[in-house]
Amino acid sequence: MRKKNLVGIIMGSSSDSRIMHGAAEILDSFKIPHEDQIISAHRTPSRLDTYAKNSKATGIKVIIAGS
């Protein structure tokens, strides 16, 4: 059975992934389940709003954001 993701790593675009990859590596080293999402606050603000509002219900405890 897969554990629920506890951390959401969100970034503004795919070009941010090389920077945010470090956060994912650290979480992996501690075996903390996480998800990575590209959600632009500028291009898709309603998607970001929905993600943030629903994060608790989906099991996310911490959001790490970068752009």
Side-chain angles (χ1 to χ4, degrees):
M1 188 167 118
R2 184 179 151 104
K3 292 183 181 180
K4 277 188 170 182
N5 292 320
L6 298 177
V7 178
I9 301 173
I10 61 172
M11 60 207 84
S13 68
S14 60
S15 64
D16 300 321
S17 64
R18 71 179 169 81
I19 299 295
M20 301 305 285
H21 182 72
E25 287 180 325
I26 291 170
L27 293 169
D28 288 341
S29 74
F30 287 104
K31 297 180 175 33
I32 298 172
H34 60 88
E35 65 184 24
D36 304 348
Q37 297 282 329
I38 296 173
I39 305 174
S40 172
H42 300 289
R43 290 183 297 276
T44 56
S46 61
R47 182 172 177 225
L48 177 61
D49 184 57
T50 299
Y51 182 85
K53 286 179 178 176
N54 294 321
S55 61
K56 186 175 181 180
T58 61
I60 298 291
K61 304 288 186 198
V62 174
I63 297 174
I64 301 172
S67 65

